[in-house]
Amino acid sequence: MAHENNAKAQFEHVFEAFRGFQTVQVIHLGLQLGLFSTLREANPGLTPNDLAAQLRLHTPYVEKWCEVAYAYKLLDRDNAGCYQLPPKLDTVLLDTDHPRYLGGFANGFFTYGADDFRRYPHAFVEGDVYPFQEHGEGFSAWVSSLTHPMQRLVVGKVLPELMGAELEHGLDVLDVGCGAGELLFKLAGAYPNCRLTGIDGDGHGIKIAQGNAKERGLNHITFMHTNGEQFDQPSAFDLALMFEVFHEIPVSARADVMAATYRALRPGGALVIVDETWPDDPSQLRDPAYSFSVMVQFSELIWGNVVATENEQTHLLTEAGFTHIHRGDLGGTFTTIYARKPD
Ligand SMILES: C[S@@+](CC[C@H](N)C(=O)[O-])C[C@H]1O[C@@H](n2cnc3c(N)ncnc32)[C@H](O)[C@@H]1O
């Protein structure tokens, strides 16, 4: 264990982390080249020769990729030398709709993440921020591909449990930080009587959202390129959503965004937040409940993001005027917060 005071234990701890890093490299390559998807279709598996032939790849490299992937428990191997995906690994690596899908993270870590990380040393000297909104359209689309499986849980489970009947009946819903709009598209499918508006400070996300709305014939959804703190439609909405947005709002703008969101709600209106939470006590940072928060915080540091603690979240909500604050969790990873504007 890392906390044991000897070099062997520390070596093993760090070495295991390098193996983790290389596991992500093997995953990234396997996804990029179609190795995993080809193996998923093959029953009872493929030899490296056949795998390479199907994908027109260099056989000796594919052979080593298979062996290394086997070593890292990303592939199983039978006595005939055929490789196949271990049970359920296809869900995690290939099923882009599943809440446990991680394939998208592997790709993003080696593209956007690597580019961001090159900026860290300079940023640590100068305090530079490279905001989400400056990363470009491909990046906004990639983020949307990561958030959309969890949105299915929000629309299929969280919101129905909180206010299913009202949603069925039809509410005015505001999605603050809607990104590429997928949460609203899902809501439109599940609750056709709702009137939906999405706002975001990211022009790339809004452009994708508007394009997709047109393509899917969902022209009744309004998308506006505006920051939450500048949004000014008093008492126009029954429900406001912030899905994976709270920690992305610059700390200096958070009170203003909460105030504008509060203003936008009618009396009795609800706010539902889904986000990561940082522990109030740093000694809890090794608790697995915070492992996703830690990962998000470090990879998004240069975007200017700060994952808020429970105290900070509650303080911002109460300062804005919200009451009836209830906290829950989603998948043991995300915090859900329900709050209301008093009647
Ligand atoms: C991780 S993305 C999530 C987007 C979307 N909710 C989803 O589920 O895909 C966070 C979004 O919050 C937006 N955001 C951050 N600060 C904002 C602000 N002050 N006003 C409006 N949007 C903001 C970002 O531009 C980005 O699109």
Side-chain angles (χ1 to χ4, degrees):
M1 294 289 288
H3 56 262
E4 281 178 27
N5 189 16
N6 71 64
K8 180 171 179 288
Q10 300 294 15
F11 172 88
E12 282 169 3
H13 169 61
V14 175
F15 187 71
E16 203 48 41
F18 279 110
R19 281 167 51 84
F21 183 76
Q22 200 171 65
T23 301
V24 180
Q25 285 181 317
V26 173
I27 290 172
H28 177 51
L29 194 63
L31 291 171
Q32 205 180 20
L33 297 176
L35 292 155
F36 287 118
S37 51
T38 304
L39 283 168
R40 177 171 59 173
E41 302 309 319
N43 196 1
L46 289 172
T47 63
N49 246 333
D50 291 341
L51 180 59
Q54 279 201 28
L55 292 167
R56 296 174 188 275
L57 295 172
H58 184 61
T59 305
Y61 283 175
V62 171
E63 193 169 3
K64 286 301 159 203
W65 180 86
C66 288
E67 289 172 1
V68 172
Y70 172 74
Y72 288 148
K73 299 183 180 167
L74 296 169
L75 294 183
D76 284 341
R77 183 180 189 279
D78 65 19
N79 291 336
C82 284
Y83 289 90
Q84 54 289 118
L85 292 189
K88 297 294 172 202
L89 193 71
D90 57 336
T91 303
V92 175
L93 296 184
L94 295 166
D95 186 349
T96 55
D97 282 339
H98 198 280
R100 302 222 182 269
Y101 172 62
L102 284 174
F105 280 99
N107 291 336
F109 270 30
F110 283 92
T111 49
Y112 306 109
D115 181 45
D116 281 352
F117 196 62
R118 270 190 284 277
R119 298 167 186 262
Y120 274 52
H122 189 266
F124 267 70
V125 177
E126 299 293 341
D128 316 338
V129 169
Y130 178 44
F132 182 108
Q133 294 81 3
E134 287 177 22
H135 280 64
E137 196 169 321
F139 173 83
S140 300
W142 169 64
V143 170
S144 175
S145 76
L146 297 182
T147 53
H148 116 99
M150 289 307 288
Q151 293 168 354
R152 290 179 64 211
L153 278 185
V154 172
V155 173
K157 185 171 185 313
V158 177
L159 293 176
E161 282 175 9
L162 287 172
M163 45 193 354
E166 294 101 307
L167 285 160
E168 293 280 357
H169 190 253
L171 297 176
D172 287 298
V173 182
L174 172 66
D175 188 9
V176 180
C178 64
E182 289 295 334
L183 181 62
L184 291 183
F185 297 144
K186 290 178 182 63
L187 264 180
Y191 299 106
N193 294 329
C194 286
R195 297 157 298 277
L196 307 172
T197 301
I199 61 167
D200 203 296
D202 173 29
H204 304 292
I206 291 293
K207 187 172 161 218
I208 300 169
Q210 287 169 334
N212 284 342
K214 203 167 168 195
E215 214 166 87
R216 300 176 198 188
L218 295 168
N219 298 317
H220 60 289
I221 305 178
T222 306
F223 288 107
M224 295 167 63
H225 180 198
T226 177
N227 272 319
E229 57 271 41
Q230 276 136 16
F231 187 67
D232 189 21
Q233 290 193 13
S235 298
F237 297 92
D238 308 297
L239 169 64
L241 304 170
M242 286 187 192
F243 181 79
E244 279 297 281
V245 172
F246 199 93
H247 73 278
E248 303 248 359
I249 303 169
V251 172
S252 59
R254 282 184 188 169
D256 290 339
V257 174
M258 298 318 291
T261 305
Y262 183 86
R263 256 197 325 276
L265 287 170
R266 300 188 176 109
L271 168 66
V272 175
I273 293 174
V274 179
D275 212 277
E276 290 82 23
T277 299
W278 200 251
D280 285 302
D281 174 358
S283 70
Q284 292 174 285
L285 280 164
R286 292 181 184 176
D287 181 333
Y290 295 105
S291 44
F292 191 67
S293 303
V294 169
M295 201 185 284
V296 162
Q297 178 59 82
F298 190 61
S299 55
E300 299 182 5
L301 191 56
I302 198 157
W303 307 356
N305 293 355
V306 179
V307 179
T309 64
E310 179 174 338
N311 281 339
E312 287 162 349
Q313 291 164 343
T314 305
H315 177 74
L316 279 158
L317 286 163
T318 46
E319 281 292 294
F322 286 101
T323 58
H324 300 81
I325 300 171
H326 290 290
R327 299 173 69 87
D329 90 282
L330 191 59
T333 308
F334 298 94
T335 303
T336 56
I337 306 175
Y338 171 89
R340 269 186 46 203
K341 179 170 179 169
D343 292 318

